[in-house]
Amino acid sequence: FAWKARRAALAVAGIVDFDVLDAVDEFLGAARRLDLRACAGLETRVFVPEFASREITSPGEPGITYHMATGFTRSAVPGGAFLEELREQARQRTLGIIGRVNAALSPVELDFARDVAPLTPKGNATERHVCQAYELKAREIFPDAGERAAFWAEKLGLTAAEVTEKEADSPAFQAVIRSRMMKQGGPGYVPPDSDAFPKLADFNRFALEAGAIPTATWLDGTSPGEQALDELLDLHEEVGTAAVNIIPDRNWNIADPQVKRTKVCNLYEVVEKAMDRGLPIVVGTEMNAFGQRFTDDFSAPELQPVVSAFLEGAYIQYAHTVMSAEAGMGYLSPWAMEAFPQPHERNAFFARLGEALEPRAANRLAGLTPDVAPAGVLEAVGVFVR
C-alpha cells in the first residue's frame, strides 16, 4: 500500500486497522523508506450511553458507533492491556458468529484455529475472512459443483443457477454469504448490547494515553444520532475527541439525485461545523472488500468546496505523527496544548509543518524537547517565520 501510495503521488497516505495496530510498524517503516508522508490509525465500535436510544453510524444498532484514534507511531503503546481487550472482544464476537452459522450451515462447519486464523497474518479475522473460509469449506465438503450449488441454494435462499453464477465471482459470493448469514435477519447475527463494546470515554482515554488523536467518524448525516450533529459533537469534545473522520465517497458518489443532494448538503454541514470547532478532518476510502476504490476522486466537483479542509487535516495528521515519534510533541501533547491553547492556532501550525516537512527531513526534529518554541520547530526544518 505504501508503494502504491508513493507511485500515486499522494500528499499524505494513511491506514486504519480494525481493533488492532498490527500494520502500524510495517506501514510507517515502509513510508519512511519511500519518502512518503504517512499516518496510521485504529477503528473500533464503541458504546455511547447518551445516545443509547438513537442510531448513530452502526445501522440498526442504537448507541453503537464506529470510532477511531489516529496518529499512532508504533504498535507497542501504553495501555496495551486495553488494546488486547479489544482484540479479544473481537475474537469472541467472531467465535460466536462461527458457532451460530455452523449450526445453520452444517455439514459445512468451521474450526477457527484450522480454517479461519490462517487466512490473516496475525489471526485477527473479520467476518470477511469467515465468509472466505465458508466458501472454501463448502468446496471441500461438496467437490461436485452441482451438489454444492444445491447446498448453497437451500441455505442462502437462491436458485442453483444463481449460486453457480455468483460462485464465479468469489468476493461477490462471499458478500452474499455475509449478508444472508451474518447480518440482521441472518442466523449469525445477535444484536450487540452495551457490554460488547468499550464506552466512548474509555476508548478516548486509551487513545490519549497512547499519544493518538481520538477521532469521531461520520457516516452521511441521515441517522437520528447524526442529525443531532451539534449535540453529538458537543459530547465528543467533552470526552476528548479532537478530530473527525469522513468517507467522502459515501456522501457524493450516489446515483439517486435526491439522495445525493441530501448527503452532499450533510457533508458540507459537518465539514463547516468541524472547522468552526477546530476539529481537523481525516478522510479516506474503505478498502476492506474487493472492488473498492484506492482513493476518493478529489477532483469531483462536489468535493471542491471541502477538499482544502481535507488536505489540511492530512498534513496535520502527518505532522503530529512525526512530532510525536521524534520529540514527544504531538498534536495533543502538553507542549502543543500550552503553545497553542486555541485549536485553530494549533491546526494552522501543524498543517504548515506537515506541508513543509519532507519525510527525508523528519529526522531534523529528533532531539527536540518541549522547551523549543514553535518558531524553533519550523526553523529546524528550514521554514523561516517572517
Side-chain angles (χ1 to χ4, degrees):
F1 175 66
W3 176 238
K4 288 185 70 174
R6 186 69 174 87
R7 286 184 61 110
L10 299 188
V12 183
I15 57 164
V16 179
D17 269 330
F18 204 92
D19 285 328
V20 296
L21 290 174
D22 291 348
V24 170
D25 299 327
E26 179 181 337
F27 176 68
L28 293 182
R32 282 192 295 271
R33 290 191 290 275
L34 292 169
D35 287 331
L36 173 71
R37 292 177 175 88
C39 56
L42 178 151
E43 183 180 22
T44 189
R45 285 191 289 174
V46 299
F47 177 60
V48 186
E50 296 84 352
F51 279 68
S53 63
R54 286 174 283 183
E55 185 178 305
I56 312 172
T57 63
S58 190
E61 298 178 341
I64 306 298
T65 188
Y66 288 86
H67 191 61
M68 291 169 54
T70 51
F72 288 96
T73 62
R74 64 188 192 281
S75 60
V77 296
F82 184 93
L83 196 58
E84 284 305 311
E85 187 176 343
L86 281 185
R87 184 191 292 269
E88 181 58 23
Q89 286 176 339
R91 180 176 176 275
Q92 290 302 324
R93 288 195 297 271
T94 301
L95 289 174
I97 289 171
I98 290 172
R100 294 186 291 273
V101 175
N102 275 353
L105 291 183
S106 182
V108 175
E109 300 177 1
L110 299 180
D111 176 271
F112 179 84
R114 182 187 64 235
D115 301 316
V116 182
L119 298 177
T120 178
K122 295 193 177 182
N124 55 315
T126 68
E127 289 179 3
R128 288 179 172 84
H129 295 103
V130 176
C131 293
Q132 180 185 4
Y134 275 119
E135 184 187 22
L136 295 173
K137 180 62 68 172
R139 290 181 179 276
E140 176 186 322
I141 301 295
F142 298 106
D144 180 80
E147 291 183 6
R148 189 169 65 251
F151 165 79
W152 280 123
E154 176 190 353
K155 299 298 184 180
L156 299 178
L158 302 171
T159 66
E162 288 173 328
V163 170
T164 300
E165 178 185 354
K166 291 181 183 298
E167 269 197 314
D169 182 352
S170 279
F173 183 56
Q174 291 164 24
V176 174
I177 296 173
R178 185 170 182 240
S179 174
R180 302 290 175 93
M181 292 286 113
M182 301 174 192
K183 293 305 179 184
Q184 279 185 304
Y189 180 80
V190 172
D193 58 35
S194 60
D195 294 330
F197 304 101
K199 289 183 173 60
L200 171 62
D202 293 337
F203 179 85
N204 279 3
R205 277 192 289 272
F206 154 73
L208 291 169
E209 184 181 358
I213 303 172
T215 302
T217 66
W218 172 261
L219 185 58
D220 57 20
T222 60
S223 70
E226 289 194 329
Q227 286 174 4
L229 180 54
D230 285 315
E231 181 186 353
L232 186 61
L233 291 178
D234 285 345
L235 173 63
H236 269 294
E237 290 190 290
E238 286 172 10
V239 294
T241 301
V244 174
N245 169 263
I246 300 171
I247 301 175
D249 189 69
R250 286 183 163 191
N251 291 265
W252 74 268
N253 191 14
I254 300 164
D256 185 295
Q258 180 57 48
V259 174
K260 179 175 181 175
R261 279 193 294 272
T262 297
K263 293 189 177 184
V264 168
C265 287
N266 292 345
L267 172 65
Y268 293 163
E269 181 185 15
V270 72
V271 170
E272 181 181 7
K273 288 185 180 292
M275 297 301 288
D276 286 346
R277 292 167 178 261
L279 298 171
I281 297 171
V282 187
V283 297
T285 56
E286 286 192 304
M287 299 181 69
N288 55 5
F290 290 95
Q292 293 175 322
R293 62 171 69 209
F294 181 62
T295 64
D296 211 316
D297 180 6
F298 294 112
S299 66
E302 295 85 352
L303 295 186
Q304 294 316 293
V306 291
V307 73
S308 61
F310 297 167
L311 189 57
E312 176 183 278
Y315 284 135
I316 290 170
Q317 286 287 326
Y318 167 63
H320 157 81
T321 300
V322 173
M323 288 285 282
S324 182
E326 300 293 343
M329 295 159 64
Y331 181 79
L332 296 177
S333 67
W335 171 83
M337 300 299 282
E338 181 179 353
F340 308 103
Q342 298 302 317
H344 292 92
E345 296 176 353
R346 191 160 63 252
N347 291 347
F349 171 80
F350 276 85
R352 182 180 180 188
L353 180 62
E355 183 176 9
L357 181 62
E358 295 183 4
R360 67 174 65 89
N363 60 4
R364 298 183 190 176
L365 297 180
L368 288 182
T369 58
D371 59 345
V372 176
V377 175
L378 295 177
E379 289 169 1
V381 294
V383 180
F384 298 98
V385 180
R386 299 191 185 278

Coordinates of all heavy atoms in Angstrom, one line a residue, residues 169-233:
D169 N -17.6 -15.3 -9.1 CA -17.0 -14.1 -8.6 C -16.9 -14.3 -7.0 O -17.9 -13.9 -6.3 CB -17.9 -12.9 -8.9 CG -17.2 -11.6 -8.5 OD1 -16.3 -11.6 -7.7 OD2 -17.8 -10.5 -8.8
S170 N -15.8 -14.8 -6.6 CA -15.7 -15.2 -5.1 C -16.0 -14.0 -4.2 O -16.8 -14.2 -3.2 CB -14.3 -15.8 -4.8 OG -14.3 -17.1 -5.2
P171 N -15.4 -12.8 -4.4 CA -15.7 -11.7 -3.5 C -17.2 -11.4 -3.4 O -17.7 -11.2 -2.3 CB -14.9 -10.6 -4.0 CG -13.8 -11.2 -4.8 CD -14.4 -12.4 -5.4
A172 N -17.9 -11.4 -4.6 CA -19.3 -11.1 -4.6 C -20.1 -12.2 -3.9 O -21.1 -12.0 -3.2 CB -19.8 -10.9 -6.0
F173 N -19.7 -13.5 -4.1 CA -20.4 -14.6 -3.5 C -20.2 -14.6 -2.0 O -21.1 -14.8 -1.2 CB -19.9 -15.9 -4.0 CG -20.6 -17.1 -3.5 CD1 -22.0 -17.2 -3.6 CD2 -19.9 -18.1 -2.9 CE1 -22.6 -18.3 -3.1 CE2 -20.5 -19.2 -2.4 CZ -21.9 -19.4 -2.5
Q174 N -19.0 -14.2 -1.5 CA -18.7 -14.1 -0.1 C -19.6 -13.0 0.5 O -20.0 -13.1 1.7 CB -17.2 -13.9 0.2 CG -16.4 -15.1 -0.2 CD -14.9 -14.8 -0.3 OE1 -14.4 -13.8 0.3 NE2 -14.2 -15.6 -1.0
A175 N -19.8 -12.0 -0.2 CA -20.7 -10.9 0.3 C -22.1 -11.4 0.5 O -22.8 -10.9 1.4 CB -20.6 -9.7 -0.7
V176 N -22.5 -12.3 -0.4 CA -23.9 -12.8 -0.2 C -23.9 -13.7 1.0 O -24.9 -13.6 1.8 CB -24.3 -13.7 -1.5 CG1 -25.6 -14.4 -1.2 CG2 -24.4 -12.8 -2.7
I177 N -22.9 -14.5 1.2 CA -22.9 -15.3 2.5 C -22.9 -14.4 3.7 O -23.7 -14.7 4.7 CB -21.6 -16.2 2.5 CG1 -21.6 -17.2 1.3 CG2 -21.4 -16.9 3.8 CD1 -20.2 -17.9 1.2
R178 N -22.2 -13.3 3.7 CA -22.1 -12.4 4.8 C -23.5 -11.8 5.0 O -24.0 -11.7 6.2 CB -21.1 -11.3 4.6 CG -20.8 -10.4 5.7 CD -19.6 -9.6 5.5 NE -19.3 -8.7 6.6 CZ -19.3 -7.4 6.6 NH1 -19.5 -6.7 5.4 NH2 -19.0 -6.6 7.6
S179 N -24.1 -11.3 4.0 CA -25.4 -10.7 4.1 C -26.5 -11.6 4.6 O -27.3 -11.3 5.5 CB -25.8 -10.1 2.7 OG -27.1 -9.6 2.7
R180 N -26.5 -12.9 4.1 CA -27.6 -13.8 4.4 C -27.4 -14.5 5.8 O -28.3 -14.9 6.4 CB -27.8 -14.8 3.3 CG -28.1 -14.3 2.0 CD -29.5 -13.7 1.9 NE -29.7 -13.0 0.6 CZ -30.2 -13.6 -0.5 NH1 -30.6 -14.8 -0.4 NH2 -30.4 -12.9 -1.6
M181 N -26.1 -14.7 6.1 CA -25.8 -15.5 7.3 C -25.4 -14.6 8.6 O -25.6 -15.1 9.7 CB -24.6 -16.4 7.0 CG -24.9 -17.5 6.0 SD -26.0 -18.8 6.8 CE -27.5 -18.6 5.9
M182 N -24.8 -13.4 8.4 CA -24.2 -12.7 9.5 C -24.8 -11.4 9.8 O -24.5 -10.8 10.9 CB -22.7 -12.6 9.2 CG -22.0 -13.9 9.0 SD -20.2 -13.7 8.6 CE -19.9 -15.4 8.1
K183 N -25.5 -10.8 8.9 CA -26.1 -9.5 9.1 C -27.5 -9.7 9.7 O -28.0 -10.8 9.9 CB -26.1 -8.7 7.9 CG -24.7 -8.3 7.4 CD -24.0 -7.6 8.5 CE -22.6 -7.2 8.1 NZ -21.8 -6.6 9.2
Q184 N -28.2 -8.6 10.0 CA -29.5 -8.6 10.6 C -30.5 -9.5 9.9 O -30.6 -9.4 8.6 CB -30.1 -7.2 10.7 CG -29.6 -6.4 11.9 CD -30.3 -5.0 12.0 OE1 -30.3 -4.3 11.0 NE2 -30.9 -4.8 13.1
G185 N -31.1 -10.4 10.6 CA -32.0 -11.4 10.0 C -31.4 -12.7 9.7 O -32.0 -13.7 9.4
G186 N -30.0 -12.7 9.7 CA -29.3 -14.0 9.5 C -29.1 -14.7 10.8 O -29.1 -14.1 11.9
P187 N -28.8 -16.0 10.7 CA -28.6 -16.9 11.9 C -27.4 -16.5 12.7 O -27.3 -16.8 13.9 CB -28.5 -18.3 11.4 CG -28.1 -18.1 9.9 CD -28.7 -16.9 9.5
G188 N -26.4 -15.9 12.1 CA -25.2 -15.5 12.8 C -25.3 -14.2 13.6 O -24.4 -13.9 14.4
Y189 N -26.3 -13.4 13.4 CA -26.4 -12.1 13.9 C -27.1 -12.1 15.3 O -28.2 -12.7 15.5 CB -27.2 -11.2 13.0 CG -27.4 -9.7 13.5 CD1 -26.3 -8.8 13.4 CD2 -28.5 -9.3 14.2 CE1 -26.4 -7.5 13.9 CE2 -28.6 -8.0 14.7 CZ -27.6 -7.2 14.5 OH -27.7 -5.9 15.0
V190 N -26.5 -11.4 16.2 CA -27.1 -11.2 17.5 C -27.0 -9.7 17.8 O -25.8 -9.2 17.7 CB -26.4 -12.0 18.6 CG1 -26.9 -11.6 20.0 CG2 -26.6 -13.5 18.4
P191 N -28.0 -9.0 18.1 CA -27.9 -7.6 18.4 C -26.9 -7.4 19.6 O -27.0 -8.0 20.6 CB -29.3 -7.2 18.9 CG -30.2 -8.2 18.2 CD -29.4 -9.5 18.3
P192 N -26.0 -6.5 19.4 CA -25.0 -6.2 20.5 C -25.6 -5.5 21.6 O -26.5 -4.7 21.5 CB -23.9 -5.4 19.8 CG -24.6 -4.7 18.7 CD -25.7 -5.6 18.2
D193 N -25.1 -5.8 22.8 CA -25.5 -5.0 24.0 C -24.4 -4.1 24.4 O -23.3 -4.1 23.8 CB -25.9 -5.9 25.1 CG -24.8 -6.8 25.6 OD1 -23.6 -6.4 25.5 OD2 -25.1 -8.0 26.0
S194 N -24.6 -3.2 25.3 CA -23.7 -2.2 25.7 C -22.4 -2.8 26.2 O -21.3 -2.1 26.2 CB -24.3 -1.3 26.7 OG -24.6 -2.0 27.9
D195 N -22.4 -4.0 26.7 CA -21.2 -4.6 27.3 C -20.3 -5.2 26.2 O -19.2 -5.6 26.5 CB -21.6 -5.7 28.3 CG -22.3 -5.1 29.5 OD1 -22.0 -4.0 29.9 OD2 -23.1 -5.8 30.1
A196 N -20.8 -5.3 25.0 CA -20.0 -5.9 23.9 C -18.9 -5.0 23.4 O -18.0 -5.4 22.7 CB -20.9 -6.3 22.8
F197 N -19.0 -3.7 23.7 CA -18.0 -2.7 23.2 C -17.6 -1.8 24.3 O -18.3 -1.5 25.3 CB -18.6 -1.9 22.0 CG -19.2 -2.7 20.9 CD1 -20.5 -3.0 20.8 CD2 -18.3 -3.3 20.0 CE1 -21.0 -3.8 19.8 CE2 -18.8 -4.1 19.0 CZ -20.2 -4.3 18.9
P198 N -16.4 -1.2 24.2 CA -16.0 -0.2 25.2 C -16.8 1.1 25.1 O -17.3 1.4 24.0 CB -14.5 0.1 24.8 CG -14.4 -0.3 23.4 CD -15.4 -1.4 23.2
K199 N -16.9 1.8 26.2 CA -17.6 3.1 26.2 C -16.7 4.1 25.5 O -15.4 4.0 25.5 CB -17.9 3.5 27.6 CG -19.0 2.7 28.2 CD -19.4 3.3 29.6 CE -20.6 2.6 30.1 NZ -20.4 1.1 30.3
L200 N -17.3 5.1 24.8 CA -16.6 6.1 24.1 C -15.5 6.8 25.0 O -14.4 6.9 24.5 CB -17.6 7.2 23.6 CG -17.0 8.4 23.0 CD1 -16.2 8.2 21.8 CD2 -18.2 9.4 22.7
A201 N -15.9 7.2 26.2 CA -14.9 7.9 27.0 C -13.7 7.0 27.4 O -12.6 7.5 27.4 CB -15.6 8.4 28.3
D202 N -14.0 5.7 27.6 CA -12.9 4.8 28.0 C -11.9 4.6 26.8 O -10.7 4.6 27.0 CB -13.4 3.4 28.4 CG -14.2 3.5 29.7 OD1 -14.0 4.4 30.5 OD2 -15.1 2.6 29.9
F203 N -12.5 4.5 25.6 CA -11.6 4.4 24.4 C -10.8 5.7 24.2 O -9.6 5.6 23.9 CB -12.4 4.1 23.1 CG -11.6 4.0 21.9 CD1 -11.0 2.8 21.5 CD2 -11.3 5.1 21.1 CE1 -10.2 2.7 20.4 CE2 -10.5 5.1 20.0 CZ -10.0 3.9 19.6
N204 N -11.4 6.8 24.4 CA -10.6 8.1 24.2 C -9.5 8.2 25.2 O -8.4 8.7 24.9 CB -11.6 9.3 24.3 CG -12.3 9.5 23.1 OD1 -12.2 8.8 22.1 ND2 -13.1 10.6 23.1
R205 N -9.7 7.7 26.5 CA -8.6 7.7 27.4 C -7.5 6.8 27.0 O -6.3 7.2 27.1 CB -9.1 7.2 28.8 CG -9.8 8.3 29.6 CD -10.1 7.9 31.1 NE -11.1 6.9 31.1 CZ -12.4 7.2 31.3 NH1 -12.8 8.4 31.3 NH2 -13.3 6.2 31.4
F206 N -7.8 5.7 26.4 CA -6.7 4.8 25.9 C -6.0 5.6 24.7 O -4.7 5.6 24.7 CB -7.3 3.5 25.3 CG -6.5 2.9 24.2 CD1 -5.3 2.3 24.5 CD2 -6.9 2.9 22.9 CE1 -4.5 1.7 23.5 CE2 -6.2 2.4 21.9 CZ -5.0 1.7 22.2
A207 N -6.7 6.2 23.8 CA -6.1 6.8 22.7 C -5.1 7.9 23.2 O -4.0 8.1 22.7 CB -7.2 7.4 21.8
L208 N -5.6 8.7 24.1 CA -4.7 9.8 24.6 C -3.5 9.3 25.3 O -2.4 9.9 25.1 CB -5.6 10.7 25.5 CG -6.7 11.5 24.8 CD1 -7.6 12.2 25.9 CD2 -6.1 12.6 23.9
E209 N -3.7 8.3 26.1 CA -2.5 7.7 26.8 C -1.5 7.1 25.8 O -0.3 7.2 26.0 CB -3.0 6.5 27.7 CG -1.9 5.9 28.5 CD -2.4 4.8 29.4 OE1 -3.6 4.5 29.4 OE2 -1.5 4.2 30.1
A210 N -2.0 6.6 24.6 CA -1.1 6.1 23.6 C -0.5 7.2 22.7 O 0.2 6.8 21.8 CB -1.9 5.1 22.7
G211 N -0.9 8.4 22.9 CA -0.3 9.5 22.1 C -1.1 9.7 20.8 O -0.5 10.4 19.9
A212 N -2.2 9.2 20.7 CA -3.0 9.3 19.4 C -4.1 10.4 19.6 O -4.3 10.9 20.7 CB -3.6 7.9 19.0
I213 N -4.8 10.6 18.5 CA -5.8 11.6 18.5 C -7.2 11.0 18.4 O -7.5 10.3 17.4 CB -5.7 12.6 17.2 CG1 -4.3 13.2 17.2 CG2 -6.8 13.6 17.2 CD1 -4.0 14.0 15.9
P214 N -8.0 11.0 19.4 CA -9.4 10.5 19.4 C -10.2 11.1 18.2 O -10.2 12.4 18.1 CB -10.0 10.8 20.7 CG -8.8 11.0 21.6 CD -7.8 11.6 20.8
T215 N -10.8 10.3 17.4 CA -11.4 10.8 16.1 C -12.8 10.2 15.9 O -13.0 9.0 15.9 CB -10.5 10.4 14.9 OG1 -9.2 10.9 15.1 CG2 -11.0 10.9 13.6
A216 N -13.8 11.1 15.9 CA -15.1 10.7 15.6 C -15.3 10.3 14.1 O -14.6 10.8 13.3 CB -16.1 11.9 15.9
T217 N -16.2 9.4 13.9 CA -16.5 9.0 12.5 C -17.8 9.5 12.1 O -18.8 9.6 12.9 CB -16.5 7.5 12.3 OG1 -17.6 6.9 13.0 CG2 -15.2 6.9 12.8
W218 N -17.9 9.9 10.8 CA -19.1 10.5 10.2 C -19.6 9.6 9.1 O -18.8 9.2 8.2 CB -18.9 11.9 9.7 CG -20.0 12.5 8.9 CD1 -20.1 12.5 7.5 CD2 -21.2 13.1 9.4 NE1 -21.3 13.1 7.2 CE2 -22.0 13.5 8.3 CE3 -21.6 13.3 10.7 CZ2 -23.2 14.1 8.5 CZ3 -22.9 14.0 10.8 CH2 -23.6 14.4 9.7
L219 N -20.9 9.2 9.1 CA -21.4 8.4 8.0 C -22.0 9.2 6.9 O -21.3 9.5 5.9 CB -22.4 7.4 8.6 CG -23.0 6.4 7.6 CD1 -21.9 5.5 7.0 CD2 -24.0 5.5 8.3
D220 N -23.2 9.7 7.0 CA -23.8 10.5 6.0 C -24.8 11.5 6.5 O -25.5 12.2 5.7 CB -24.4 9.6 4.9 CG -25.4 8.7 5.4 OD1 -26.0 8.9 6.5 OD2 -25.7 7.7 4.8
G221 N -25.0 11.6 7.8 CA -25.9 12.6 8.3 C -27.4 12.3 8.3 O -28.2 13.1 8.6
T222 N -27.7 11.0 8.0 CA -29.1 10.6 7.9 C -29.7 9.9 9.1 O -30.9 9.8 9.2 CB -29.4 9.8 6.6 OG1 -28.6 8.6 6.7 CG2 -28.9 10.5 5.4
S223 N -28.8 9.4 10.0 CA -29.3 8.7 11.1 C -29.8 9.7 12.2 O -29.4 10.9 12.2 CB -28.2 7.9 11.7 OG -27.2 8.7 12.3
P224 N -30.7 9.3 13.1 CA -31.1 10.2 14.2 C -30.0 10.8 15.0 O -30.0 11.9 15.4 CB -32.0 9.3 15.1 CG -32.5 8.2 14.1 CD -31.3 8.0 13.2
G225 N -28.9 10.0 15.3 CA -27.8 10.5 16.0 C -27.0 11.6 15.3 O -26.7 12.6 15.8
E226 N -26.8 11.3 14.0 CA -26.0 12.3 13.2 C -26.9 13.6 12.9 O -26.3 14.6 12.6 CB -25.5 11.7 11.9 CG -24.4 10.7 12.2 CD -23.6 10.3 11.0 OE1 -24.2 10.3 9.9 OE2 -22.4 10.0 11.1
Q227 N -28.2 13.4 12.9 CA -29.0 14.6 12.7 C -28.9 15.5 13.9 O -29.2 16.7 13.7 CB -30.4 14.2 12.4 CG -30.6 13.6 11.0 CD -32.0 13.0 10.7 OE1 -32.9 13.1 11.6 NE2 -32.2 12.4 9.5
A228 N -28.6 15.0 15.0 CA -28.4 15.8 16.2 C -26.9 16.2 16.3 O -26.2 15.9 17.2 CB -28.8 15.1 17.5
L229 N -26.4 16.8 15.2 CA -25.0 17.0 15.0 C -24.3 17.8 16.1 O -23.3 17.4 16.6 CB -24.7 17.6 13.6 CG -23.3 17.9 13.2 CD1 -22.5 16.6 13.3 CD2 -23.2 18.5 11.8
D230 N -24.9 18.9 16.5 CA -24.3 19.8 17.5 C -24.2 19.0 18.8 O -23.2 19.1 19.5 CB -25.0 21.1 17.6 CG -24.8 22.1 16.5 OD1 -23.6 22.2 16.2 OD2 -25.7 22.6 16.0
E231 N -25.3 18.4 19.2 CA -25.3 17.6 20.4 C -24.2 16.5 20.4 O -23.5 16.3 21.4 CB -26.7 17.0 20.6 CG -26.8 16.1 21.9 CD -28.1 15.4 22.0 OE1 -29.0 15.6 21.2 OE2 -28.2 14.6 23.0
L232 N -24.1 15.8 19.2 CA -23.1 14.8 19.1 C -21.7 15.3 19.2 O -20.8 14.7 19.9 CB -23.3 14.1 17.7 CG -22.5 12.8 17.5 CD1 -22.8 11.7 18.5 CD2 -22.8 12.3 16.0
L233 N -21.4 16.4 18.5 CA -20.1 17.0 18.6 C -19.7 17.5 19.9 O -18.6 17.4 20.4 CB -19.9 18.0 17.5 CG -19.9 17.5 16.0 CD1 -19.8 18.7 15.1 CD2 -18.8 16.6 15.8

